Amino acid sequence: MKTLKSPHSRGLSEPKPSAGSQSLERGLDILAMIDSEDGGLGVREIARRMTLSPTIVQRLVTSLSNRGYVEKNQDTSRYVLGYKALAMGGNRANAMDYIATAKRELEQLSKQHRLNGFVAALRGFRAIYLLAVQADGPISINVKPGSEMPLHSTGAGKVLLASLAEDDVRKLLSTNKLKAFTPHTITDVDRLVASLAKIRRTDIATVSEENIPGVLSVAAPIRDKAGHVIAALSVAFPKYVDASRTLQTVAPLVAAAAQRVSQALGWQPGNTKLVK
């Protein structure tokens, strides 16, 4: 099997160890507490359970958030597990319901169609791989959960961009110059923004050799109960190995898998939050 290392698959730098064992123990207790609650927890509830002051808990939670282990739900002000905690627990069935469901779906796509599969989500101004399932085929795409991915050249990245309002997309893309990974990579912001309209209409993104030469990708959104896009499920496969595997034949498989993951979260067809 030929392994292709993604040109942007570097892992995120590890945080420095905590200065005090007490802070470390409290931080671990907070992670375990948040992991046990499906809807997350607020600072005051964590403080009550730990019999600590909200100020101390806020400091600990902020430290965990800065390092990617927890993140704040802006709608509820509750904290849930962040991308690093999910990446570390990606092989546990109970790491998070939709991650476990997505893993099963991707394993089926890998086994039946020899597709490399991924789940990615937006974290601030970055897109992060939460899950990777490698196919037993002639080519494997080598990325690790917790590593960053480009938004503009991947199927998953484009799905995540399409979930945002146009002003937010332009703000996100303006932070760095768009890199051309191949001659097919779209690096013009206006052209990229215009292409997102189709993804919003069809709920599917297709990429032909924009990220890695000779590799195609298809992605679809994972939605929560309210219809918000919380992640993207994607697959990648070589262009020339199997004539029966094309963007057109793979797209329905990916769309159906992403919909089943979304339905496990309570999403119903037709319940889609559109962006302006």
Side-chain angles (χ1 to χ4, degrees):
M1 178 192 294
K2 181 180 180 183
T3 299
L4 297 179
K5 185 174 182 180
S6 176
H8 34 70
S9 60
R10 60 183 178 84
L12 300 179
S13 59
E14 293 299 320
K16 294 181 180 179
S18 173
S21 61
Q22 187 179 51
S23 293
L24 174 60
E25 290 174 1
R26 287 173 172 174
L28 293 173
D29 287 342
I30 289 173
L31 287 176
M33 203 176 297
I34 290 174
D35 188 29
S36 68
E37 296 288 338
D38 290 339
L41 288 170
V43 168
R44 291 190 177 279
E45 176 61 19
I46 295 173
R48 185 188 67 78
R49 295 188 187 187
M50 298 182 71
T51 62
L52 293 173
S53 74
T55 301
I56 292 176
V57 170
Q58 184 64 68
R59 185 169 65 247
L60 292 167
V61 167
T62 299
S63 181
L64 289 170
S65 178
N66 290 340
R67 288 161 173 79
Y69 289 101
V70 300
E71 63 181 71
K72 189 176 182 179
N73 183 319
Q74 297 302 324
D75 293 330
T76 65
S77 295
R78 292 173 175 265
Y79 286 88
V80 297
L81 292 182
Y83 68 86
K84 275 202 172 180
L86 293 176
M88 289 168 61
N91 292 323
R92 295 190 299 123
N94 63 344
M96 178 173 273
D97 287 345
Y98 88 85
I99 294 293
T101 305
K103 185 178 181 182
R104 288 192 294 270
E105 292 288 343
L106 293 179
E107 286 173 344
Q108 284 293 103
L109 291 174
S110 172
K111 181 179 179 181
Q112 296 178 6
H113 303 282
R114 303 173 82 185
L115 299 169
N116 297 280
F118 313 94
V119 171
L122 277 176
R123 295 296 182 262
F125 290 99
R126 299 171 295 181
I128 304 296
Y129 286 103
L130 302 182
L131 179 65
V133 175
Q134 304 303 323
D136 184 18
I139 294 180
S140 175
I141 312 298
N142 184 25
V143 299
K144 294 182 179 180
S147 61
E148 293 185 45
M149 61 172 288
L151 286 163
H152 67 292
S153 62
T154 61
K158 294 188 181 191
V159 164
L160 296 173
L161 285 176
S163 72
L164 304 175
E166 182 176 325
D167 288 346
D168 292 330
V169 173
R170 292 185 179 277
K171 180 180 179 181
L172 195 59
L173 297 179
S174 67
T175 57
N176 291 294
K177 182 179 179 180
L178 301 185
K179 181 178 179 180
F181 295 105
T182 78
H184 302 282
T185 306
I186 298 175
T187 57
D188 180 78
V189 174
D190 290 334
R191 182 183 168 196
L192 181 59
V193 169
S195 71
L196 300 179
K198 182 179 179 181
I199 298 173
R200 295 188 183 106
R201 286 197 316 271
T202 62
D203 257 2
I204 201 81
T206 58
V207 168
S208 180
E209 299 186 88
E210 291 186 45
N211 197 49
I212 302 175
V215 173
L216 308 181
S217 178
V218 179
I222 295 174
R223 298 181 182 275
D224 63 14
K225 184 177 182 179
H228 298 291
V229 176
I230 60 170
L233 182 147
S234 68
V235 301
F237 55 99
K239 183 176 182 179
Y240 301 108
V241 173
D242 185 346
S244 67
R245 276 186 302 173
T246 66
L247 292 173
Q248 290 70 33
T249 60
V250 170
L253 302 174
V254 174
Q259 286 181 7
R260 285 190 290 269
V261 177
S262 299
Q263 287 173 326
L265 285 167
W267 173 82
Q268 295 296 325
N271 185 17
T272 299
K273 295 295 183 181
L274 299 177
V275 295
K276 296 181 179 180

